[in-house]
């Protein structure tokens, strides 16, 4: 009888240790993510201090790219091709036409 109780107690103890180990691993993963986010925010704050106009420049660059894309879309569809594009087109045509 005593051996049965002892075996059950050991089994319960092993299960508890496994649960604790899983919880510790989960907490370590959360701490690692929090640390990573803290470092990332700290570095971005330092970059903002060092380069205060960095965000403004990035927005201006995005707006300029958007304007360029809009201009390219509004151009006439019969525009001439770049020399590289013409070369690729000629290679493809000669490949298929013989």
């Amino acid at each position: 009888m005593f051996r049965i109780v002892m075996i059950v107690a050991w089994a319960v103890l092993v299960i508890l240790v496994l649960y604790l180990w899983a919880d510790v691993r989960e907490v370590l993963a959360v701490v690692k993510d929090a640390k990573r986010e803290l470092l990332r925010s700290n570095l971005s704050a330092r970059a903002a201090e060092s380069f205060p106009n960095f965000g403004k420049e990035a927005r201006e660059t995005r707006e300029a790219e958007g304007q360029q894309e809009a201009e390219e879309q509004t151009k006439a569809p019969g525009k001439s091709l770049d020399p590289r594009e013409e070369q690729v087109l000629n290679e493809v045509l000669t490949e298929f036409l013989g």
Side-chain angles (χ1 to χ4, degrees):
M1 180 73 180
F2 180 71
R3 283 187 178 177
I4 294 173
V5 171
M6 202 165 148
I7 291 172
V8 170
W10 276 109
V12 169
L13 184 65
V14 167
I15 291 172
L16 285 175
V17 168
L18 288 174
Y19 273 122
L20 286 174
W21 183 47
D23 286 341
V24 167
R25 287 182 61 195
E26 187 176 329
V27 167
L28 286 176
V30 169
V31 167
K32 185 178 178 181
D33 288 341
K35 232 171 151 179
R36 184 179 297 133
E37 287 298 319
L38 188 65
L39 282 172
R40 187 176 294 146
S41 67
N42 191 14
L43 289 175
S44 65
R46 285 185 185 174
E49 289 174 3
S50 301
F51 306 104
N53 295 330
F54 186 70
K56 183 179 177 182
E57 290 175 5
R59 268 186 260 116
E60 290 174 355
T61 305
R62 269 189 260 124
E63 290 173 359
E65 289 174 357
Q67 288 176 355
Q68 287 177 351
E69 289 176 5
E71 289 174 2
E72 290 175 1
Q73 290 176 354
T74 57
K75 284 184 181 177
K79 69 175 186 173
S80 62
L81 299 174
D82 293 341
R84 191 179 63 185
E85 292 174 340
E86 273 187 52
Q87 181 184 3
V88 170
L89 184 61
N90 287 336
E91 290 175 2
V92 169
L93 289 175
T94 43
E95 178 84 23
F96 286 111
L97 298 178

